[in-house]
Amino acid sequence: CTQAEFDAQRDVNGTLWLAIGFFGGIFGIAAAYVIEPTPPASRLLGKSSEYVATYTDCYKSAGKDIQTKNAIKGCVISGLLYVAFYGCYYALWAASLSTAVQ
């Protein structure tokens, strides 16, 4: 299981899932949770069925965890940037109104 988790960390593209969460929002998080990464078949050739089952389960679990965490990070970053941008926009708008009234 440790080897499968290590391989999943190496194989799963965290930056891609960060971008999916950033641009996709809640739908990106849902996609990260639903899509299961699968290990390359070449790593499983010649292994026992018990090894294949355990390795595959651990790989999928670790990969899905990486995907979901990065998608959540991307979604949160996107949300914070959205709030910051519109907060500045409305602050400037309110400031311009107060100077126009005087």
Side-chain angles (χ1 to χ4, degrees):
C1 207
T2 304
Q3 183 63 43
E5 291 171 355
F6 175 76
D7 290 343
Q9 288 176 353
R10 188 181 61 205
D11 294 344
V12 174
N13 189 343
T15 306
L16 172 68
W17 286 101
L18 187 82
I20 290 171
F22 185 87
F23 293 110
I26 193 74
F27 299 109
I29 295 171
Y33 187 75
V34 170
I35 297 171
E36 288 186 335
T38 55
S42 61
R43 291 190 191 142
L44 305 174
L45 290 175
K47 306 292 184 185
S48 69
S49 60
E50 294 85 17
Y51 178 87
V52 170
T54 302
Y55 182 92
T56 302
D57 289 342
C58 291
Y59 186 94
K60 287 181 177 184
S61 176
K64 189 185 278 193
D65 186 52
I66 293 166
Q67 291 175 179
T68 305
K69 284 181 180 178
N70 283 308
I72 290 171
K73 287 177 191 175
C75 185
V76 167
I77 291 169
S78 174
L80 290 174
L81 288 174
Y82 180 83
V83 167
F85 175 78
Y86 281 103
C88 290
Y89 175 78
Y90 286 121
L92 290 172
W93 178 67
S96 69
L97 285 180
S98 66
T99 58
V101 172
Q102 295 174 1

